[in-house]
Every structure is written in structure tokens, then in C-alpha cells.
Amino acid sequence: MKQMVVYGALIMLTMSCVQTTNSSKSQPRRPNVIFIFSDDHTNDAIGVYGNTLAKTPNIDRIAAEGAIFNNFFVTNSICGPSRATLLTGTYSHVNGFTTNGSKFDINQLLFSRLLSQSGYETAWIGKWHLGTLPGDAFDYWHILPGQGHYFNPDFITRDNDTVRHEGYVTDIITQVATTWLDQRTADKPFFLVVGEKATHREWLPDIQDLGAYDDVEFPLPETFYDDYQTRFAAANQDMTVSETMTLDNDLKVNIDFENTRPSPDGMIYKRLNDEQRAAYKAYYQDKVSKEFNEKKLKGKALAEWKFQRYLRDYLATANSLDRNIGKLLDYLESNGLAENTIVVYGSDQGFYLGEHGWFDKRFIYEESLRTPFVIRYPGVVAPGTKIDQFLLNVDWAPTLLEIAGVNVPEELQGQSFLPVLKNGGAAWRDAIYYHYYEYPEPHRVMPHFGLRTTKYKLVRFYGDKDFWELFDLERDPHELENIYEANQDVAMALKERLDELIAEYDDDSAAQILANEME
Ligand code: SGN
Ligand code: CA
């Protein structure tokens, strides 16, 4: 009898051991990931990246509690291609999505499916912008059609229905995301992409943020009056604040808020409700347009007024983005998820805030080649970490797979930077490869490919005209002087490295262009 009791107690003990082992000891629960992915939000608009005028306390907080990436680059600086690269871990020429007009093959290898198969619950909520619907690429999705709308936006559901949500898009995306988090399968780790519309053109701020930066006078970038000497493609683009940026569509001057505005989709102001319309009229009509009409500006004064208005709208739009990032951080905390959830915030590419006189992106030049990324990874990344290695958006897929303990398929072209996160990762890439395609519309930026090293940038433009550019980034950080002709030794050495990268990434169209040039 005595023996039996002991035996029974032993069984119980063994069972509890097994349970402990399964749940937490030898197999710690894999981390959740919230990947907040905005649109066109650039480094120079973020406090922790050095903009002391921008109010981004929550993005700054992620960096303070984790790490900031100081050299994160994209492989093709526009929206759809950046998203396709995020999902596939491959360059545009491999995943097939070279321009925003491409058709995304959703059936190719996507890391989100591998996460799902390994036991993660996955979701993409918000802006998607890949043409093709996500299908089974995510367990749950609720996406904006195309670029989506800032006010009272429509969403496409997983059943392929369209539903309209009343309110401001950034708030709604957070609300859908936290509802999904509430309803998810609690015993599975999750991977959630929060795809933000902000801060995409035409920069419509939430009503509570209208005028948030009206007291600020933004310093004009040093290169605002760039004359583009020695840079043909830069001289021939269509993305200047002074000419391309419109007073009505972009800066909301003298808009007829009662009627359809003359926009590409013609619906932006028509969909405002009475309260939203009244607030927009009170600000843009009674204040901004009134000021504009009284000033009767011309020439440089007009260009500089446009620049100020542009930054005010852009940063005011980002206020809601940052506030909503704060809501997601609060949600994690109040639901006991903060310790085991990685939070990533970043953008699909950089953007010009008046540098070279521009808005938009596309060029391999620094402002659009770089993209902001910060990460909070409790227990792995020490608070206040600064990461200077050259990282690429193509690296996210392998990195996230490795974090989740999933084997990284060979087809992926990026490199997991988990070692960099864990211990600084000594040896890392010396150069990054870039290739942009979309031409001529919109913005007339000629196609080009090239590489960036710590010191140099070598670029080959092609299409209507073929030519090279070379910049010494140490001497000329603003990339104003193309020194290609006068520095053939440097250019030849860099071309060899470029050839290697083109071969490594199997970029046949670039290889062909260079082969033709040799003939
Ligand atoms: C729209 C914008 C362009 C922008 C592209 C791509 N025009 O066409 O300015 O470059 O989107 O942006 S707009 O008048 O419709 O705003 S991306 O971020 O989706 O690549
Ligand atoms: Ca974008």
C-alpha cells in the first residue's frame, strides 16, 4: 500500500515534469512578432534619426528600448516592389515584381507561409498594394484596396467582400489589428504585419492633427536648389516640390470640399462625413488657402511656401502613425505580451523631404535608398543598441524565419541578421546592390542599378540614355558631384564588385546591359 502511494506520486511528478518541459523549459515559447510597416515614412522625419522638430515619441521609444538601424537600405525604392521583397526575401527580378504595375505571383515561396506551417498564426492588416490578394499567404488578412483612402476607407476581407470603416485609416488599422490579437489562437505564437497607409501622398492628417506643425518653420534642405549639374536623370525627373507638387491635390489649396476633387480616383473629399469635411474646410479653406491667396507668392517664395506646407502635412500625418504605434505598445503591455513580442517599426522605403528639391523616392540616392527601421526584442537586443551594418529589406524574410526557428530555404537571397542582433555580427557585407525599373510614369525617374559601399556609390542609368554616375560619399555626402569621368580607376574597381553582385543575385537584365557595353 505504502509503495503504491509512492509510485502514484512518482507518476504525478513525472507528468508534471513533462508538462513543464514541453511548455517552457527546454522549448521556450517562440517570440511573437508585430511588424509595423508604414508607407514613405523617411529617416529624416523621425526624432531618433535626428529630426528634432518631428514628434515621434513612440518610434523613438522602440529604439530606446531596443535598437536603431542606421544603415538599412532597400533594393528597389518603391512600394509594391519593397513589399514583394519583404515577403519573398528575393530581389525584384527574381520575385517578378519590378514596378508598381507588376502582377504579384502569390503562389511563390513566401516566408509567411513557412511561419504558418511551423505553427505561427499570421495576419496582414492594412495597406498591401501588391495587386493580387493575399489568398492563403496569411491566416488572416484585412487589406486596403490599392493605395487605400485616409478617411472612411474600404477594406477587402478574406472572403473577398468590401467593407467600409468609418473614421481615420491609421486608427482603424490599429483597431482591426488589436481585435485580431484579441481573437487569435492564444496558444500559438503570432506574426502580425500592420501595414500603414501613412505617410503616403497626399498626406491627409487626422483631424486632431491639423495644424500640428503650424508653429514650426522647417529649415530648407541644403540641396533644395540643386541645379543637377553632372546628373542627367536627376535633371529630368518629375518630382519637384516647386513644379510637380500641386497646390490643389497635394497641398489642399482652394479645394472645393463639397465636390469631387480633380484627383486620380476623384473620391478623396467626397467620402468625408460632415464633421470631417467641416474640419478640413475650417483648416485648409479658412486658414491655409486664405493665407495663400493673400500672399500672392511667386518664384522662390512660392516654392518655399510649398515646401513648408508639404512638411507640415507630412509630419502631421505621421503624428497619428506614431500615436497608433503607441497604442499597439500599450496593448502588448496591458495584455502581458510585451516580454515575448518583437516589435519592428519601419517603412517600405525612404522619401525626399525637399532634398534635391524633391518629394517621392525611386532614386538610389541616400534619402530614398535608406529606410528607417527600429526593433524592440526583449532579452536579445539591449536597450539603446545602434546597428551600423549594411542591411537590406531582402534580409527580413531569412531573419524572421531564423528567429522563429524555421530553416531558411536556399532560394532566399537575403541574409539573416539575427547574429548582428545577438552579438553585433563581426563580418558583414561590404556593399549593397540596388535596381530600380519603373519608367516613365509616374515621376520620370530613369531605370538604374548600382552599388553602394561605405565610401562610394556607382550607378548605371539606362533606357532612353545610357550613362554612369560615381559619388564619393565621404567627400560629397549629398551626391551633388558625379566624378565618374575623372575617376576611372575607382570606377573600374567598383565595376568589378558590381559584376560580382549582379552574378551573385542572378540579375540577368543588368548583366546583359553591361555585356552590351563591353562589345
Ligand atoms: C501614386 C502617387 C505617386 C507615387 C506612387 C507610388 N501619385 O501614383 O506620387 O509615387 O503612388 O507610391 S498620387 O497623386 O496618386 O498620390 S508607392 O508608395 O505606392 O510606391
Ligand atoms: Ca511607399
Side-chain angles (χ1 to χ4, degrees), residues 38-40 78-79 83 127 200 347-349 361:
S38 66
D39 197 359
D40 296 1
I78 44 169
C79 186
R83 281 140 212 271
K127 185 171 173 183
H200 196 271
S347 176
D348 59 351
Q349 23 46 223
K361 49 260 180 177

Side-chain angles (χ1 to χ4, degrees), residues 209-223:
D209 298 314
L210 289 171
Y213 289 91
D214 282 5
D215 294 339
V216 180
E217 193 67 17
F218 294 97
L220 209 59
E222 267 178 61
T223 58

Side-chain angles (χ1 to χ4, degrees), residues 39-40 79 100 127 129 147 200-201 360-362 443:
D39 197 359
D40 296 1
C79 186
N100 275 341
K127 185 171 173 183
H129 204 209
Q147 298 280 10
H200 196 271
R201 192 181 182 189
D360 215 68
K361 49 260 180 177
R362 299 163 194 275
H443 301 300

Side-chain angles (χ1 to χ4, degrees), residues 34-38 62 192-196 321 324-326 328-329 343-347 373:
I34 294 196
F35 196 95
I36 310 165
F37 198 44
S38 66
I62 297 173
L192 165 65
V193 180
V194 180
E196 304 286 5
L321 177 65
N324 276 282
I325 292 168
L328 290 169
L329 295 176
V343 180
V344 177
Y345 172 72
S347 176
F373 268 112

Side-chain angles (χ1 to χ4, degrees), residues 249 255-271 277:
N249 286 359
I255 285 275
D256 179 358
F257 286 105
E258 305 297 344
N259 296 299
T260 307
R261 64 156 216 174
S263 78
D265 73 357
M267 285 296 289
I268 297 212
Y269 298 113
K270 216 171 184 181
R271 52 196 304 132
R277 181 172 291 107

